[in-house]
Amino acid sequence: GAYEEEIAGVKLCNFLFVSLKEDGAATSLNNVVFNGVADGPAVESYGETKTVSVDSATGLNVVTFPSKNSVYDVQIGDYYGDMGEAFTLEVYFKLDAIPASGYEGIVENCEAGGLGLYVFDDASIKFYLSLDGAYAILTAPEKAQVGQWYHCVCVWDGDVVQMYMDGQLAEEYISDYAYITFPSVDTA
């Protein structure tokens, strides 16, 4: 079941936490946690070899993806039922380039539903969440800058979608719909 606890009237949302191994080994992940249980969804690596190194600005292990075809695929399809009521997506990212055309996914799960965090060729950063088959689209107020770290948190509490950038509320959307439309498990 879902990790649904309240503290001071605030519902704690489902969560997925993936961190890089401290040894810096390329393409390795650990601490995959879902609903407070360390035996969460499988994580698979696809595409070109990713490198893991310590970022000089943050002191943290970070992964570098050499192309848009180099990905970590977190198999969350079995958890859609738990995520439908509430979740938080938290991502730290730094861009090496703004897309020349179209967009690049930072977090993608938009195959006829789902959610995604993207950067577009106009340097806008947008979060998409499919609610009853239509996307709520939230946009960060500032344009993305190459080489700058961003902390993005996107929250769904069952009624409101919120996007925070670097600790500031960027945008929110109040939903008339009570459920998220997820992709089929076969395409997730």
Side-chain angles (χ1 to χ4, degrees):
Y3 182 70
E4 296 176 359
E5 183 178 329
E6 287 192 23
I7 297 178
V10 176
K11 183 177 179 180
L12 298 180
C13 299
N14 295 311
F15 64 93
L16 169 69
F17 176 71
V18 180
S19 69
L20 300 170
K21 286 190 173 182
E22 291 179 11
D23 65 8
T27 70
S28 60
L29 299 176
N30 69 351
N31 297 334
V32 179
V33 177
F34 191 85
N35 289 342
V37 178
D39 186 21
V43 179
E44 297 180 24
S45 178
Y46 294 101
E48 300 163 68
T49 302
K50 293 153 260 324
T51 57
V52 178
S53 60
V54 176
D55 178 71
S56 61
T58 64
L60 299 173
N61 288 338
V62 297
V63 64
T64 300
F65 297 92
S67 76
K68 68 180 180 180
N69 297 320
S70 180
V71 300
Y72 284 126
D73 185 3
V74 181
Q75 303 291 314
I76 62 171
D78 290 343
Y79 300 92
Y80 286 157
D82 292 333
M83 294 173 61
E85 293 181 22
F87 72 86
T88 299
L89 171 70
E90 181 176 16
V91 181
Y92 290 89
F93 65 94
K94 178 173 71 170
L95 303 172
D96 293 329
I98 303 298
S101 64
Y103 62 90
E104 296 285 341
I106 298 166
V107 173
E108 289 188 280
N109 185 246
C110 285
E111 297 282 336
L115 57 93
L117 181 64
Y118 302 92
V119 62
F120 286 79
D121 55 8
D122 65 354
S124 61
I125 301 169
K126 298 182 181 190
F127 176 66
Y128 284 64
L129 181 63
S130 180
L131 299 171
D132 194 32
Y135 283 101
I137 304 170
L138 287 71
T139 305
E142 303 291 326
K143 298 293 184 182
Q145 300 293 316
V146 171
Q148 179 177 328
W149 278 103
Y150 294 95
H151 179 208
C152 180
V153 178
C154 300
V155 179
W156 162 251
D157 70 1
D159 295 311
V160 179
V161 183
Q162 296 175 312
M163 177 185 193
Y164 293 85
M165 292 297 294
D166 298 322
Q168 301 296 314
L169 179 63
E171 190 173 1
E172 69 179 9
Y173 174 84
I174 299 171
S175 174
D176 294 332
Y177 304 107
Y179 66 94
I180 300 171
T181 307
F182 287 106
S184 74
V185 175
D186 294 337
T187 61

